[in-house]
């Protein structure tokens, strides 16, 4: 990936918007919508990928289709100052954690967890709490998504096969 500054004009914005709406849209279709040839759109997409504006293409999958019917957000409170690097190591050991970030406020981190059911979620939570630097967690279960087409309502990647076998 190139780190040099890149220009990003209105045509680029329209192309990115079209790809975000449907990454399978052809360059010809996008070109027709923005007034460019398919070749010109491809050149722009290639440049946007090269400069790191576009970082990849993905499929959105309904988590329940993969057997993940329970969802929660978990606030993590650490003993002392746990470095983000250490928190990232812990997160990588739990395939049920689909997103994790350090945050401001009382908690040190916020985890997005998907599980088969409440029992599976409890097992995940117990595995997280075993870490010696984690002082406490506060969980909030998701009941429904008010914006069902948002990225948070779907999974951006399949959950590893072994995650469903953890018991």
């Amino acid at each position: 990936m190139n780190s040099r500054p890149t220009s990003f004009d209105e045509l680029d914005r329209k192309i990115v918007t079209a790809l975000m709406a449907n990454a399978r849209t052809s360059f010809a279709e996008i070109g027709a919508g923005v007034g460019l040839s398919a070749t010109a759109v491809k050149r722009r997409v290639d440049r946007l990928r090269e400069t790191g504006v576009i970082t990849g293409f993905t499929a959105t999958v309904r988590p329940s289709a993969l057997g993940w019917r329970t969802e929660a957000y978990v606030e993590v409170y650490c003993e002392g100052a746990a470095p983000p690097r250490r928190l990232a190591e812990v997160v990588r050991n739990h395939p049920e954690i689909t997103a994790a970030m350090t945050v401001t406020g009382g908690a040190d981190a916020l985890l997005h967890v998907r599980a088969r059911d409440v029992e599976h979620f409890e097992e995940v939570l117990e595995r997280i709490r075993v870490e010696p630097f984690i002082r406490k967690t506060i969980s909030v279960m998701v009941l429904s998504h008010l914006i069902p087409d948002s990225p948070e309502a779907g999974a951006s990647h399949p959950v590893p096969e072994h995650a469903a076998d953890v018991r």
Side-chain angles (χ1 to χ4, degrees), residues 13-167:
R13 186 172 318 285
K14 289 177 180 179
I15 291 168
V16 168
T17 300
L19 289 171
M20 288 173 61
N22 181 359
R24 294 179 55 122
T25 304
S26 73
F27 293 151
E29 290 174 296
I30 294 171
V34 301
L36 293 174
S37 69
T39 304
V41 172
K42 182 189 180 318
R43 278 196 303 270
R44 283 178 177 258
V45 169
D46 289 346
R47 178 180 46 81
L48 292 167
R49 290 185 72 190
E50 182 181 301
T51 58
V53 173
I54 295 175
T55 59
F57 300 90
T58 187
T60 302
V61 178
R62 195 170 22 87
S64 61
L66 301 173
W68 300 87
R69 300 186 187 288
T70 300
E71 177 180 11
Y73 286 89
V74 179
E75 292 181 350
V76 176
Y77 296 79
C78 298
E79 203 64 59
R85 179 181 69 252
R86 179 67 182 112
L87 285 167
E89 290 171 13
V90 169
V91 166
R92 280 191 290 273
N93 291 329
H94 303 284
E96 298 90 349
I97 299 173
T98 61
M101 58 285 302
T102 55
V103 294
T104 61
D108 294 294
L110 183 65
L111 311 178
H112 184 200
V113 177
R114 292 194 185 269
R116 289 184 313 274
D117 51 33
V118 174
E119 180 181 288
H120 181 203
F121 172 72
E122 186 175 21
E123 291 169 9
V124 173
L125 199 54
E126 289 171 6
R127 283 189 271 130
I128 293 167
R129 289 177 174 161
V130 165
E131 296 296 330
F133 64 88
I134 294 181
R135 181 172 47 90
K136 77 174 184 175
T137 61
I138 297 177
S139 304
V140 179
M141 301 296 284
V142 174
L143 299 177
S144 63
H145 285 271
L146 301 177
I147 305 174
D149 295 333
S150 69
E152 292 78 13
S156 60
H157 54 82
V159 178
E161 287 182 31
H162 70 278
D165 297 332
V166 176
R167 279 204 105 147

